[in-house]
Amino acid sequence: MASQSRTAAIVGMYEWPKRLDRDVSAMQIKAASISKALEDAGLKWSDVDGLYDANDGEGGGGLGLAPYLGLKPTVIDTTAVGGTAYEFQTAHALADIASGKCNVAVLSYGSKAASQRIPIGTGGASAASNWQSNMENPYGHTLVSSYAMVASRHMYQYGSTPEQLAEIAVTTRYHAMRNPQAVQAMNDLQFQGVNEISIEDVLESRMIADPLHLLECCMVSDGGGALVIASGDVARNTRKKPVWILGSGQATKYRENKGDITTSAAAQSAPIAFGEAQVRPDEIDIAMIYDSFTITVAVMLEDLGFCKKGEFGDFVAGGRLRFDRPGALALNTDGGGLSSNHPGMRGLFLLLEATRQLRGESTSQVPGAKLAVAHGNGGYLGHTHCGGTIILAAD
Amino acid sequence: MPNRPMPVFPEPDTQAFWEAAKRHELTYQQCNSCRGVVFTPRAHCTACGSPDLAIKVSRGEGEVYTYSVVRQNRNPSFADLGAYAVAYIDLDEGFRMLSNVVGVNDPTKDVHCGQRVRVEWEKQESGDYPIPVFRPI
Ligand SMILES: [Zn+2]
């Protein structure tokens, strides 16, 4: 491990505990989360010299966030690629710290998707016109059907089954039931049956867009949080064990003539990240993979290199990816977007739970977890998306 | 009569496609430099960047690459349709387009990957542009 990077580490984190919160603004969620994450790190407000923002929040962004917070950073990065903005921003923070542009970088997120009843998954087409909308709006394609199309093709091409996809939702719910914030979320958002679920439960839930059932779709919640990334020098003196950023990869994938819809951007981003980190997929303890839908996790387990293309079904079967199965990868140990937290851009929470695991603070803790991968997805899987891979390590 | 959202103009990339649609012509583009097939319509070749593209008329036959059946859509244009199939259609000329598969008894059972389909033009209450949809052959 000697040649692996110890340039920058995650040193502070905070996840907004409530998933339905009518009394705060997204900007308040961001500012309060940054304050708590700095406290977690043992750093001061005035230590922050890098701000990374995905243009979320009311009046935030590159122009708005710094004045709202009252900071004058030397780096302002507004990378916005949907839900994986935070994996991209983490890679940029690593580079900015490596080049000496900043020492303490802060990523933040705030969203009111649930209390404002934003119809993320089944919303209609917008009235604006552009080169894509004019070719798509007449057909009633939704976010969910875009993911479902990947599932249909995966089943056709590889013979994967609804039961295999359902196993992913069963596994994440198993973890969610051990996370008090996730249990509270499911209660507040009025889930039917806040309990562990079976494959049959998933397949008997309402079909949203064939072949995806309700329990295969992430929740729509409020939420947010913050992440503090610091240089190696700073990280050695913070309150918690540093979680080192070993490698990163970025890619995009989109609808193309003759393209393979069953392969995601992860197939391009993951080899770059694993190569930079000098680790192999089979060495990873914790996989935090963007579970907007079960199919998202299925194709990304394959594309990240954990199993062969088309073979996720055997890889996840029988609860193999639960945190309490020794020797196997543990998947989405916070409960994921399916059962804990999905305010629209889940990428930040992947990094937060990976950090908890590598510190030993998860509610579904894998003993001695050393290596984690966080892979985010922004956009629509079967249409146009970006994928960001981050490899993290404990000392 | 169906009441789908109309394309909205001015929008320079897609105008020619929808004018051809009024003549019931399903068009795609081919690059005169590298012969690459371009779809959806653009003013440059996505393989080589050349602006020298020819507009071609498709025979309108192909196969379902993949599909999903939408059970729930809050957009008023689709809210009352019942379950309907959205699909990517691979046309025989080598381009892939988003559309709907229509004319089946039960879209949850009668649409599948690899199914051969042919274009048909659906008149719309919502405006002058007929929408190309596909029916199993
Ligand atoms: Zn060309």
Side-chain angles (χ1 to χ4, degrees):
Chain A
M1 305 270 279
S3 60
Q4 287 175 344
S5 164
R6 291 290 184 271
T7 307
I10 295 171
V11 297
M13 56 155 284
Y14 185 74
E15 180 169 345
W16 193 256
K18 293 175 77 176
R19 314 293 197 253
L20 187 65
D21 202 341
R22 295 198 171 86
D23 301 328
V24 297
S25 70
M27 292 301 278
Q28 289 175 325
I29 293 175
K30 287 166 75 78
S33 295
I34 291 170
S35 178
K36 292 277 195 183
L38 287 166
E39 187 183 315
D40 181 54
L43 293 170
K44 299 194 303 292
W45 195 252
S46 56
D47 290 330
V48 176
D49 56 3
L51 267 191
Y52 298 73
D53 191 74
N55 292 320
D56 53 310
E58 311 90 347
L63 281 170
L65 183 62
Y68 183 74
L69 298 174
L71 294 172
K72 291 200 172 68
T74 50
V75 171
I76 296 174
D77 179 299
T78 52
T79 303
V81 286
T84 195
Y86 304 95
E87 282 72 34
F88 278 52
Q89 290 174 4
T90 295
H92 298 167
L94 173 64
D96 292 336
I97 288 168
S99 68
K101 296 286 189 193
C102 63
N103 278 306
V104 177
V106 166
L107 286 57
S108 66
Y109 179 36
S111 167
K112 299 276 292 172
S115 52
Q116 293 173 355
R117 305 190 65 80
I118 298 170
I120 292 174
T122 56
S126 74
S129 90
N130 65 37
W131 62 281
Q132 285 186 308
S133 64
N134 268 2
M135 303 301 291
E136 296 173 356
N137 286 357
Y139 301 108
H141 202 20
T142 65
L143 183 154
V144 189
S145 59
S146 141
Y147 284 78
M149 278 193 185
V150 179
S152 290
R153 185 69 195 185
H154 199 284
M155 290 174 178
Y156 175 77
Q157 206 160 308
Y158 305 109
S160 50
T161 66
E163 288 77 10
Q164 291 172 334
L165 283 175
E167 178 70 50
I168 291 165
V170 172
T171 297
T172 55
R173 179 64 67 86
Y174 185 78
H175 294 148
M177 292 312 296
R178 285 152 179 78
N179 177 356
Q181 286 185 9
V183 171
Q184 186 67 48
M186 291 186 282
N187 281 317
D188 288 350
L189 296 169
Q190 299 178 330
F191 272 44
Q192 288 179 357
V194 180
N195 43 246
E196 288 179 20
I197 53 175
S198 66
I199 288 173
E200 292 69 34
D201 290 333
V202 177
L203 300 183
E204 284 166 12
S205 66
R206 184 163 53 94
M207 192 71 87
I208 303 296
D210 301 60
L212 296 179
H213 304 79
L214 177 65
L215 289 177
E216 299 183 78
C217 304
C218 63
M219 65 173 72
V220 178
S221 66
D222 294 343
L227 192 67
V228 182
I229 298 171
S231 64
D233 287 344
V234 173
R236 281 181 194 90
N237 297 302
T238 49
R239 279 183 55 222
K240 299 279 181 69
K241 284 198 311 181
V243 170
W244 300 100
I245 304 163
L246 297 192
S248 69
Q250 304 174 4
T252 184
K253 182 96 187 331
Y254 42 86
R255 186 213 63 80
E256 286 180 286
N257 299 328
K258 298 185 162 56
D260 180 1
I261 202 172
T262 68
T263 298
S264 74
Q268 184 178 344
S269 66
I272 297 168
F274 280 106
E276 186 177 35
Q278 299 179 33
V279 299
R280 299 186 314 270
D282 64 9
E283 295 177 289
I284 297 287
D285 303 301
I286 307 296
M288 292 301 305
I289 300 177
Y290 201 122
D291 56 338
S292 43
F293 299 91
T294 50
I295 184 62
T296 323
V297 175
V299 301
M300 287 171 192
L301 283 169
E302 296 169 352
D303 296 339
L304 288 165
F306 291 116
C307 58
K308 287 203 189 111
K309 195 69 213 167
E311 296 183 1
F312 85 87
D314 287 343
F315 190 71
V316 305
R320 205 173 148 268
L321 303 191
R322 294 179 186 184
F323 79 105
D324 50 7
R325 300 292 170 94
L329 192 72
L331 172 71
N332 294 355
T333 48
D334 60 342
L338 292 168
S339 289
S340 175
N341 201 352
H342 195 287
M345 299 198 290
R346 186 172 162 72
L348 184 70
F349 308 119
L350 306 174
L351 296 159
L352 298 185
E353 175 64 9
T355 299
R356 286 191 202 99
Q357 281 285 355
L358 298 180
R359 287 173 167 185
E361 297 177 350
S362 173
T363 48
S364 292
Q365 183 63 44
V366 173
K370 284 283 183 212
L371 283 169
V373 59
H375 181 81
N377 188 65
Y380 291 13
L381 185 65
H383 181 285
T384 297
H385 66 268
C386 282
T389 312
I390 295 288
I391 316 274
L392 299 170
D395 269 324
Chain B
M1 197 169 14
N3 192 28
R4 298 168 182 272
M6 285 281 106
V8 179
F9 300 106
E11 203 300 297
D13 280 322
T14 54
Q15 183 102 46
F17 177 90
W18 288 107
E19 291 310 316
K22 285 183 173 170
R23 304 187 298 271
H24 291 188
E25 289 176 355
L26 184 69
T27 56
Y28 64 101
Q29 295 163 295
Q30 189 165 28
C31 177
N32 285 327
S33 301
C34 78
R35 313 304 299 165
V37 173
V38 176
F39 196 88
T40 61
R42 266 159 278 200
H44 69 278
C45 171
T46 46
C48 77
S50 166
D52 185 12
L53 303 179
I55 293 177
K56 307 250 176 168
V57 179
S58 165
R59 286 181 59 247
E61 289 186 14
E63 65 177 54
V64 175
Y65 172 69
T66 189
Y67 74 101
S68 173
V69 181
V70 177
R71 308 285 186 105
Q72 179 178 13
N73 188 330
R74 295 179 190 172
N75 184 312
S77 301
F78 301 97
D80 300 330
L81 269 186
Y84 60 93
V86 291
Y88 279 128
I89 310 297
D90 277 347
L91 278 299
D92 292 345
E93 292 86 359
F95 67 100
R96 179 174 296 169
M97 76 176 278
L98 181 71
S99 186
N100 294 139
V101 178
V102 302
V104 296
N105 263 337
D106 179 354
T108 69
K109 296 194 175 71
D110 301 335
V111 180
H112 53 88
C113 298
Q115 188 169 29
R116 291 290 300 174
V117 290
R118 180 184 295 131
V119 73
E120 65 181 41
W121 298 89
E122 195 184 68
K123 279 188 72 164
Q124 304 296 320
E125 197 177 323
S126 44
D128 293 339
Y129 295 98
I131 303 295
V133 294
F134 289 81
R135 183 183 292 263
I137 297 174

